[in-house]
Amino acid sequence: MTCPLCDKPTSPEFKPFCSRGCRDRDLLQWLGDGYRVPGPAIDEDGLDSDPTRP
Ligand SMILES: [Zn+2]
């Protein structure tokens, strides 16, 4: 199993992530989604078709 963020081997301590840094990054992304105002060009991953949005 590898880290979903950077594909490094998962650490049992932080799984499913490889490190605290990646775990925090993912957490911040979740929180950021709640605070972020919906609009064009939100992120660089090309997630313009978010199924959770109407
Ligand atoms: Zn990672």
Side-chain angles (χ1 to χ4, degrees):
M1 189 168 182
T2 55
C3 174
L5 292 187
C6 67
D7 285 336
K8 285 179 188 164
T10 295
S11 159
E13 196 178 343
F14 299 111
K15 71 180 179 180
F17 305 103
C18 68
S19 67
R20 183 178 166 186
C22 279
R23 191 194 60 182
D24 285 355
R25 220 165 78 188
D26 187 74
L27 189 67
L28 286 174
Q29 272 184 11
W30 274 98
L31 294 175
D33 270 346
Y35 293 125
R36 197 157 46 198
V37 179
I42 318 177
D43 56 41
E44 58 273 25
D45 288 329
L47 295 171
D48 51 328
S49 55
D50 188 344
T52 62
R53 288 205 183 94

